[in-house]
């Protein structure tokens, strides 16, 4: 949502384009969703990931998902605490590219898991 608002729904102000009023709220919602996601990924570690790993099922896409989530977490942390004004665009682009890859990898992981279960 933030990407759409930030890049495509800019508001014309008195001195040119300004930040859309939805943009800060979409970022706050994104941060809250990230916290919830970390909770659910942690709960997956207990059953789903451990069981599938020991059963040798869907390991490549599963560990790829875990690595991608770790990179998303690290880049989100870096955006908040490490990035300077000069490096922020690079961190931001890396973070949202990884974020756009996540649903694709999730669909692939589910597809491969269901195919292997047959």
């Amino acid at each position: 949502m933030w990407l759409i608002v930030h890049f495509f729904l800019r508001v014309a102000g008195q001195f040119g384009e300004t930040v859309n009023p939805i943009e800060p709220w979409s970022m706050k919602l994104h941060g809250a969703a990230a916290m919830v996601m970390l909770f659910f990924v942690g709960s997956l570690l207990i059953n789903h990931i451990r069981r599938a790993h020991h059963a040798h099922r869907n390991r490549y896409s599963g560990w790829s998902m875990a690595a991608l989530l770790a990179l998303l977490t690290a880049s989100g942390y870096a955006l908040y605490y490490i990035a300077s004004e000069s490096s922020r665009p690079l961190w931001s682009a890396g973070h949202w590219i990884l974020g756009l890859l996540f649903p694709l990898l999730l669909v692939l992981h589910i597809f491969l898991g269901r195919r292997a279960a047959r």
Side-chain angles (χ1 to χ4, degrees):
M1 185 165 113
W2 177 84
L3 283 174
I4 294 168
V5 172
H6 181 75
F7 289 109
F8 301 111
L9 299 178
R10 302 297 270 182
V11 176
Q14 184 177 358
F15 302 105
E17 285 187 345
T18 62
V19 174
N20 189 308
I22 297 171
E23 190 172 339
W25 288 103
S26 67
M27 189 58 68
K28 291 173 186 175
L29 179 63
H30 177 78
M35 297 303 148
V36 171
M37 184 72 167
L38 287 173
F39 172 79
F40 284 115
V41 169
S43 68
L44 283 175
L45 286 170
I46 296 169
N47 292 318
H48 176 77
I49 295 173
R50 188 175 53 169
R51 185 176 57 237
H53 182 72
H54 289 301
H56 300 279
R57 292 187 54 204
N58 217 3
R59 281 184 164 182
Y60 293 118
S61 65
W63 284 115
S64 296
M65 294 236 346
L68 180 62
L69 286 168
L71 288 171
L72 274 169
T73 303
S75 63
Y77 177 88
L79 275 166
Y80 203 78
Y81 293 109
I82 297 172
S84 63
E85 287 304 313
S86 61
S87 67
R88 182 169 301 282
L90 187 60
W91 281 105
S92 179
H95 185 71
W96 61 258
I97 289 168
L98 291 171
L100 290 174
L101 288 175
F102 179 75
L104 300 173
L105 188 54
L106 178 62
V107 168
L108 176 67
H109 180 67
I110 293 168
F111 172 77
L112 292 174
R114 288 185 178 170
R115 190 177 76 181
R118 290 185 207 169

